[in-house]
């Protein structure tokens, strides 16, 4: 091993000195008391600082990848790979270090040009670039090599689609980018999901093990369509959560599954069976439903998971099919009803089409299943209850939107005489 220099040459560099001086200024700014009413501005300042740190880390990773490619750092440091160096010097978990090293390697080898350009332009954060590199590698490794023999061509198309999705919807979170990756994989190979589903269904099975201690173990496996049915049954028969309920999530789901099975056994052969209790909401483009050529848009459930077309056909046999007319190319759902304040179930389903989580502009992880149908233009201010004016918002962001509107309303009212101040709008 070659001995490292006694004094690390980087300790006295201009870059390190400049960063140390900047840190003193930042420390003073962050330790200062935030005056009342300035919380939002302070949070935005911290977000901007975070973005600058991301850029520094990105540049450092790129440089380290170049240094490791030359070989000297690996020889004198004793760490043969960049991820091991990051674990030691960056004090990072191994999995996170591997993800960062993967991105750095792609940057050095210029195999993710769209991602590099987006990061340098500030359109992608470091964490988002790491996810794009990771899911792109996975997609390349699991692609159908017979249909896509050119690895780099497939990688370029997959990566460009993810970067374009982020540019189109800047509020996409890291988790949502992973969901988009599954949709991109479907667009590149529309029939792959059906092939995977058929293989999983062919290998399906269920085993019940009874033990001598009076307990049992249940193990089941199969296709994604069966998983949708199982999950819907469990969610339907799960009792509402209360403060008195001390069961764990696993216990609640076990009890819900047993309740669903008991319901099935007591209604076997019933001529007056009740309406279906479990609901599985899937939005499928007509081209995909008809298995037509050019089926670029996948079928999605309400959580944004891509559903194979074969599963859609299986479930459609005894399901309610609701037609929604959309306006190409925006995908906006057309609607004419506006006499109600509360959105109907069909309006809610249509308005939530294309969303998997809360539609807050800055991104939110709350699934649409737990969101409220919010009026983009408030109902109290003339907004109609039509699909084009509805969006999914979680409770906290819906309330925050109302509070912002109320503050704006009050500030505008300060410019009018007391007898002309508008009455604050009612809470939706």
């Amino acid at each position: 091993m070659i001995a490292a220099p006694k004094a690390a040459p980087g300790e006295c560099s201009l870059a390190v000195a400049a960063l140390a001086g900047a840190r003193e200024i930042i420390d003073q700014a962050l330790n200062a008391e935030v005056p009342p009413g300035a919380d939002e501005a302070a949070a935005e300042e911290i977000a901007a600082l975070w973005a600058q740190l991301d850029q520094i880390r990105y540049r450092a990773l790129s440089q380290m990848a170049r240094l490791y490619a030359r070989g000297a750092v690996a020889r004198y440091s004793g760490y043969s790979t960049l991820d091991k160096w990051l674990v030691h010097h960056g004090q990072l978990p191994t999995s996170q270090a591997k993800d960062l090293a993967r991105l750095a390697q792609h940057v050095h080898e210029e195999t993710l040009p769209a991602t590099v350009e987006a990061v340098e332009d500030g359109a992608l954060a470091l964490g988002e670039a790491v996810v794009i590199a990771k899911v792109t590698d996975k997609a390349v490794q699991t692609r159908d090599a017979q249909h896509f023999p050119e690895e780099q061509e497939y990688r370029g198309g997959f990566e460009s689609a993810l970067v374009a999705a982020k540019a189109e919807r800047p509020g996409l979170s890291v988790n949502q980018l992973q969901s988009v990756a599954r949709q991109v994989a479907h667009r590149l190979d529309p029939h792959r999901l059906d092939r995977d589903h058929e293989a999983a269904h062919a290998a399906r099975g269920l085993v019940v093990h009874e033990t001598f201690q009076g307990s049992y173990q249940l193990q089941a496996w199969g296709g994604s369509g069966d998983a949708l049915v199982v999950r819907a049954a469990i969610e339907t028969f799960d009792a509402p959560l209360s403060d008195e309920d001390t069961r764990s999530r696993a216990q609640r789901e076990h009890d819900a599954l047993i309740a669903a099975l008991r319901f099935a056994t007591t209604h076997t052969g019933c001529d007056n069976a009740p309406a279906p209790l479990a609901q599985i909401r899937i939005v499928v483009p007509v081209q995909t439903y008809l298995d037509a050529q050019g089926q670029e848009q996948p079928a999605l459930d309400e959580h944004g998971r891509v559903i194979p077309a074969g599963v859609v056909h299986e479930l459609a046999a005894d399901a309610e099919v609701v037609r929604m007319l959309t306006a190409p190319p925006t995908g906006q759902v057309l609607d004419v009803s506006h006499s109600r304040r509360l959105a109907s179930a069909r309006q809610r389903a249509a308005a939530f089409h294309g969303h998997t989580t809360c539609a807050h502009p800055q991104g939110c992880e709350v699934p649409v299943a737990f969101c409220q149908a919010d009026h983009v233009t408030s109902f109290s201010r003339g907004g109609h209850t039509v699909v084009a004016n509805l969006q999914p918002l979680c409770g906290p962001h819906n309330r925050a939107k109302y509070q912002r509107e109320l503050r704006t309303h009050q500030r505008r009212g300060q410019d009018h005489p007391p007898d002309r101040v508008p009455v604050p709008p009612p809470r939706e």
Side-chain angles (χ1 to χ4, degrees), residues 76-350:
Y76 91 73
S77 68
Y79 301 105
S80 58
T81 58
L82 178 55
D83 59 289
K84 294 178 180 178
W85 187 92
L86 289 170
V87 169
H88 177 76
H89 288 280
Q91 305 297 316
L92 298 175
T94 301
S95 59
Q96 185 178 352
K98 287 182 178 295
D99 290 342
L100 289 170
R102 175 192 291 109
L103 173 64
Q105 187 71 17
H106 280 300
V107 173
H108 173 67
E109 295 176 353
E110 300 181 352
T111 48
L112 294 177
T115 301
V116 170
E117 182 180 357
V119 172
E120 294 180 351
D121 291 344
L124 272 182
L126 178 61
E128 295 166 339
V130 166
V131 168
I132 289 178
K134 186 174 183 178
V135 298
T136 301
D137 276 358
K138 182 178 179 180
V140 169
Q141 293 167 5
T142 58
R143 80 189 190 282
D144 188 337
Q146 292 183 347
H147 290 78
F148 301 97
E150 296 296 330
E151 176 180 319
Q152 193 54 39
E153 181 180 349
Y154 184 88
R155 183 189 302 277
F158 195 92
E159 176 226 9
S160 298
L162 290 178
V163 174
K166 178 63 180 179
E168 182 180 348
R169 296 174 58 191
L172 281 176
S173 68
V174 167
N175 290 337
Q176 290 169 328
L177 269 176
Q178 294 174 331
S179 176
V180 170
R182 291 189 290 271
Q183 298 178 35
V184 171
H186 172 88
R187 290 172 184 153
L188 292 176
D189 187 1
H191 296 289
R192 176 182 170 179
L193 280 176
D194 289 289
R195 294 195 299 268
D196 293 344
H197 170 65
E198 291 173 1
H201 182 72
R204 68 192 181 280
L206 185 146
V207 177
V208 180
H209 297 285
E210 295 187 19
T211 68
F212 290 107
Q213 292 79 22
S215 62
Y216 80 98
Q217 293 180 345
L218 175 67
Q219 185 180 14
W221 58 93
S224 54
D226 298 327
L228 284 174
V229 174
V230 172
R231 174 54 57 189
I234 290 175
E235 291 177 352
T236 299
F237 284 87
D238 189 11
L241 188 63
S242 63
D243 295 336
E244 294 78 16
D245 194 342
T246 59
R247 295 175 298 169
S248 66
R249 178 178 178 179
Q251 291 172 330
R252 289 172 57 86
E253 293 192 348
H254 172 275
D255 294 347
L257 179 60
I258 295 300
L261 294 175
R262 285 177 177 170
F263 179 87
T265 56
T266 56
H267 286 78
T268 301
C270 180
D271 295 331
N272 298 313
L277 294 177
Q279 294 186 354
I280 303 174
R281 296 186 179 91
I282 298 176
V283 177
V284 51
V286 65
Q287 291 289 93
T288 302
Y289 184 75
L290 297 177
D291 198 23
Q293 293 294 327
Q295 47 174 315
E296 298 180 352
Q297 298 294 331
L300 302 174
D301 70 359
E302 58 186 332
H303 299 289
R305 292 185 289 252
V306 179
I307 308 300
V311 173
V312 174
H313 288 208
E314 292 174 13
L315 297 176
D318 55 356
E320 179 186 7
V321 179
V322 179
R323 185 180 66 179
M324 293 189 299
L325 182 63
T326 60
T330 63
Q332 180 182 3
V333 181
L334 305 179
D335 195 321
V336 295
S337 173
H338 61 270
S339 59
R340 298 167 43 135
R341 185 179 72 86
L342 297 179
S344 66
R346 292 192 176 188
Q347 285 177 318
R348 177 186 173 95

